[in-house]
Amino acid sequence: MGSGWPRGGRVTRDDVARLAGTSTAVVSYVVNGGPRPVATATRARVLQAIRELGYRPNAVARALSTRRTDLLGLVVPDATNPFFARLAHAVEQVAAAAGHLVLVGNSSFDPATEERYLLAFAQLSPAALILVDSPGSPRLRDLVADLGCRVVLLHRQLPRLGLPSVIADDYRGGWLAAEHLMAHRAGTIRCLSGSDRQSPVLDRERGFAAALRAAGRPVAAPIRCGYPRGEAMAAARRLLGGPDRPEALFVTTEEQAFGVLAAAPLAGVRVPEDLAVIAMDGLPDGEFTSPPLSTVALDIGQLARHAVTTALRPDDARSGVTVVRARTVPRASCGCVAADERG
């Protein structure tokens, strides 16, 4: 094969076919990995022509022919929330390693906004869509059936949809939090949780309450507030300044727990001396609070890996559930002393 040909303009698939002495269809089979096999010698000629000409396949044309792009659509409820931001970043990294780009949309926990993003992303012929912590609108089942692409639920399961799901063991996480606090305090243990009363937070509440009942401890209704730390801070100030202040508090998300830790000194409450605190999520920010925040940690990287792997299985129609386990990470906010602080 000669070099320096063609002399100008953008290199096309036709140019590669002429230089390799084959048809454009065969070039397409080589570039796209099918759908028909190509003889080894012919494949070698095509690849040599691609290298020599510097041919770069047109992603749009390939998408039109295969009806799929290398895009993954990711809809999150709120990318300003540290947990969802970290989860989205982990999904992006895993997808990039698999040769896929990620488009991110924020639903703001609004079903109508979520639907708009799903419809918009579906028009781009994505390899798949990943839906994080979906509120699960009544129309979602019919909408998913019409999208024409694989949809995976992440961080919240919606059994009525029959979609593949990747979730954390939130029930077990709440149980572990209760067990840990009971080991520190004999008095009242409360739960500060979200206001939407839906899973996965609801599963954390249930696991927490079940562990208390199993130990013969009283179970009070959760203190409810929004997820932003400012709202949690206001709720915690009311709780800690009132007559029924608990000895220990399980906060179902770390974003809320940051607000609790900020509220405690304003209410004259010392953590952990007067109030033991443990949360759930597993963000690195918890190491740098004052005091460092004890938590039941989720493996966010593993959640992302399972979600992307499940999304990129086009021939796997299973609608099973993958559950990622949680683990207790004790720090000073519950009264534990880190190993490096024990001397």
Side-chain angles (χ1 to χ4, degrees):
M1 295 182 186
S3 60
W5 179 90
R7 298 181 183 279
R10 185 180 183 279
V11 177
T12 68
R13 193 169 294 184
D14 288 338
D15 297 328
V16 175
R18 284 196 297 272
L19 186 57
T22 186
S23 68
T24 55
V26 170
V27 174
S28 177
Y29 300 155
V30 173
V31 170
N32 294 317
R36 295 183 180 179
V38 177
T40 302
T42 304
R43 179 181 177 83
R45 291 203 313 274
V46 171
L47 292 175
Q48 176 61 28
I50 287 173
R51 286 191 294 269
E52 195 166 322
L53 295 175
Y55 171 65
R56 304 183 72 176
N58 187 312
V60 174
R62 186 169 67 247
L64 291 173
S65 64
T66 64
R67 297 186 181 181
R68 282 291 178 267
T69 66
D70 290 332
L71 299 175
L72 279 176
L74 177 68
V75 183
V76 298
D78 180 9
T80 65
N81 181 296
F83 177 80
F84 294 122
R86 190 166 183 82
L87 184 59
H89 184 253
V91 168
E92 186 178 18
Q93 287 184 311
V94 176
H100 291 264
L101 296 175
V102 177
L103 298 176
V104 181
N106 285 266
S107 70
S108 301
F109 291 100
D110 175 49
T113 302
E114 178 181 85
E115 290 174 11
R116 285 197 296 271
Y117 272 117
L118 289 175
L119 288 170
F121 286 169
Q123 291 177 5
L124 300 175
S125 300
L129 298 174
I130 299 175
L131 192 51
V132 180
D133 209 10
S134 169
S137 73
R139 295 184 52 220
L140 189 57
R141 183 185 183 90
D142 293 336
L143 177 63
V144 167
D146 293 337
L147 289 177
C149 63
R150 187 168 176 80
V151 178
V152 174
L153 300 177
L154 176 57
H155 192 50
R156 181 181 295 197
Q157 183 185 5
L158 298 171
R160 65 183 175 81
L161 297 183
L163 294 173
S165 306
V166 178
I167 61 173
D169 194 346
D170 293 290
Y171 183 93
R172 178 63 178 165
W175 184 292
L176 291 173
E179 281 190 331
H180 196 79
L181 290 179
M182 285 189 288
H184 282 284
R185 296 290 193 268
T188 305
I189 301 175
R190 296 288 301 273
C191 172
L192 187 146
S193 188
S195 55
D196 61 357
R197 306 190 187 193
Q198 295 186 46
S199 61
V201 162
L202 184 57
D203 286 337
R204 298 177 185 187
E205 294 176 18
R206 288 172 174 163
F208 173 78
L212 292 180
R213 291 191 188 98
R217 304 284 286 269
V219 179
I223 300 103
R224 299 202 177 277
C225 65
Y227 292 106
R229 63 187 69 180
E231 295 186 36
M233 180 179 177
R237 289 191 69 176
R238 291 191 295 270
L239 173 68
L240 300 179
D244 299 321
R245 189 183 77 203
E247 290 188 8
L249 193 63
F250 167 48
V251 189
T252 55
T253 72
E254 289 183 9
E255 174 70 1
Q256 293 170 306
F258 300 149
V260 170
L261 292 181
L266 299 177
V269 174
R270 298 170 300 164
V271 177
E273 292 86 353
D274 304 322
L275 179 73
V277 178
I278 192 169
M280 185 169 176
D281 274 338
L283 299 172
D285 310 56
E287 295 183 56
F288 304 101
T289 56
S290 181
L293 179 63
S294 296
T295 192
V296 179
L298 312 179
D299 189 331
I300 294 175
Q302 193 174 0
L303 285 168
R305 284 191 294 275
H306 282 301
V308 172
T309 300
T310 302
L312 297 179
R313 290 174 182 164
D315 299 324
D316 184 354
R318 291 179 298 175
S319 58
V321 179
T322 302
V323 181
V324 175
R325 299 187 66 179
R327 63 185 180 91
T328 305
V329 179
R331 299 190 182 107
S333 70
C334 64
C336 287
V337 179
D340 60 353
E341 296 175 336
R342 294 171 183 163

